[in-house]
Amino acid sequence: MAERLGPPLADPLFARLAIIGCGLIGSSIARVARRKNLARDIVVADISPNVRARVEALALADRVTADPCDSVTGADLVIVCAPVGANATIAESIGPALAPGAIVSDVGSVKGAVVTAMAPHLPKHVYFIPAHPVAGTEQSGPDAGFATLFHGRWCILTPPEGANEAAVAKLHRFWSEAGSNVETMGAQHHDLVLAITSHVPHLIAYNIVGTADDLAQVTQSEVIKFSAGGFRDFTRIAASDPTMWRDVFLNNKDAVLEVLGRFTEDLSALQRMIRWGDGDGLFNLFTRTRAIRRSIVESGQETAAPDFGRRDPDQ
Ligand code: NAP
């Protein structure tokens, strides 16, 4: 694992990293920052006493506090890793304590709303560079994190227009050292791209699992029993954190509704093909989508192993 991430840096990139919210993403950042010597000190703030206790037990940070404002004292990199809906309150609380020249970032799955929520509370003397590591699992909490979570995954930076180039470059370096491929784009564009690649697929999974559950008769027996089919993969996605995903949909409303409109039209077209026995239409679509799957595997974002690369239980 250490090999995949490369050796630790001789000199840390940052003197003090403050991580606010230390669940799956925050704790993975803490782990990789420690492993790669990306920051000399790591300070964690989390609202939850249980999470703070686990962060201490796992020795993920040099200092753990309940107070976000306290955590940012002397930090030259602050990464907010709480659910998106908490970002405005956190920004308001840390604003007065931020050191001049500090980089303030986040990991939210939505970018436009994060900028609107945080920017007004941040002082002019900090560099605000929102980010989204496109990496995760359906697990939550500090025990679920791991140092290689970001390895080979994209991290999208959405610096506002006119952002300080040196600060953007430094945050870019941080994520590259964490193993990510880093790309920069506008916040609105990010939200549209993620609506199609992540948010709407999650909504579809939540919906199909909910529909199956509503068919109570089936759920009692067959759904669980026969869930080795495609349904099982939907249940994995639909097990994702309810708070995080509620906030994603409330905060990326416009892009999600736009993509959902297109999706509904295409679903109606599929319905028509099935009704009218248009086998060629179905075959052509499925051939096109199979090619997309192949190109995702070829780009290294997925494994070609059958069963989504799940481990053989006999191994
Ligand atoms: P998580 O495991 O639930 O961790 C979030 C942590 O933040 C929890 O410990 C939570 O405490 C804490 N928190 C909530 N409000 C807070 C506040 N006001 N101050 C300090 N801490 C607070 O969630 P996650 O999966 O790491 O997601 C965190 C962020 O990463 C979200 O913005 C999400 O959009 C983004 N993200 C997630 C994924 C993914 O796959 N999970 C991928 C990319 C980006 P409680 O448990 O008490 O609420």
Side-chain angles (χ1 to χ4, degrees):
M1 195 188 278
E3 246 173 64
R4 282 172 72 195
L5 283 170
L9 300 185
D11 295 310
L13 284 177
F14 292 94
R16 179 168 296 161
L17 162 63
I19 296 171
I20 303 174
C22 200
L24 169 72
I25 302 295
S27 75
S28 297
I29 293 175
R31 285 176 171 94
V32 71
R34 183 73 93 208
R35 176 90 58 93
K36 290 288 311 273
N37 191 28
L38 303 182
R40 199 175 56 225
D41 280 353
I42 301 175
V43 182
V44 156
D46 200 287
I47 202 170
S48 154
N50 291 341
V51 169
R52 293 197 300 273
R54 287 305 298 152
V55 171
E56 278 177 346
L58 295 163
L60 294 177
D62 299 291
R63 195 161 70 81
V64 184
T65 171
D67 180 8
C69 185
D70 169 37
S71 75
V72 302
T73 309
D76 48 355
L77 176 61
V78 176
I79 308 185
V80 178
C81 305
V84 166
N87 280 22
T89 316
I90 292 171
E92 194 175 2
S93 134
I94 63 175
L98 289 166
I103 295 176
V104 179
S105 190
D106 78 309
V107 294
S109 309
V110 170
K111 297 276 56 101
V114 161
V115 174
T116 310
M118 292 183 72
H121 303 293
L122 301 176
K124 295 267 175 287
H125 63 239
V126 302
Y127 304 119
F128 179 40
I129 307 164
H132 176 205
V134 188
T137 73
E138 67 279 17
Q139 310 292 330
S140 309
D143 287 278
F146 50 100
T148 52
L149 176 64
F150 310 110
H151 188 266
R153 301 285 168 209
W154 288 101
C155 181
I156 302 173
L157 308 186
T158 62
E161 233 168 89
N164 179 284
E165 283 179 21
V168 175
K170 202 163 176 197
L171 190 64
H172 188 300
R173 170 100 195 273
F174 178 89
W175 281 107
S176 299
E177 293 292 348
S180 292
N181 306 313
V182 185
E183 178 126 338
T184 299
M185 63 177 74
Q188 304 308 327
H189 186 65
H190 165 279
D191 288 353
L192 187 61
V193 171
L194 268 291
I196 181 77
T197 56
S198 170
H199 304 168
V200 169
H202 272 80
L203 198 70
I204 292 166
Y206 281 123
N207 186 52
I208 198 161
V209 175
T211 303
D213 191 43
D214 288 342
L215 298 172
Q217 264 179 316
V218 183
T219 307
Q220 301 302 322
S221 51
E222 279 97 341
V223 168
I224 309 288
K225 184 170 161 191
F226 296 117
S227 67
F231 184 75
R232 188 180 58 174
D233 295 311
F234 280 116
T235 62
R236 184 185 63 75
I237 298 172
S240 298
D241 189 77
T243 307
M244 171 190 154
W245 284 95
R246 175 202 62 197
D247 286 2
V248 166
F249 292 116
L250 295 181
N251 287 281
N252 197 19
K253 191 165 144 183
D254 292 346
V256 165
L257 291 178
E258 187 180 329
V259 173
L260 213 48
R262 293 283 295 265
F263 173 81
T264 313
E265 279 174 28
D266 292 344
L267 197 61
S268 298
L270 268 173
Q271 240 174 328
R272 223 175 13 254
M273 286 183 211
I274 294 169
R275 187 182 311 286
W276 297 108
D278 180 2
D280 287 348
L282 292 171
F283 185 84
N284 290 341
L285 174 68
F286 301 161
T287 305
R288 190 151 59 91
T289 56
R290 182 177 240 194
I292 290 170
R293 165 82 189 161
R294 284 199 183 121
S295 52
I296 290 173
V297 170
E298 276 161 24
S299 73
Q301 294 297 303
E302 177 64 288
T303 166
D307 201 17
F308 289 82
R310 286 198 184 90
R311 246 180 254 136
D312 181 342
D314 292 325
Q315 282 180 356

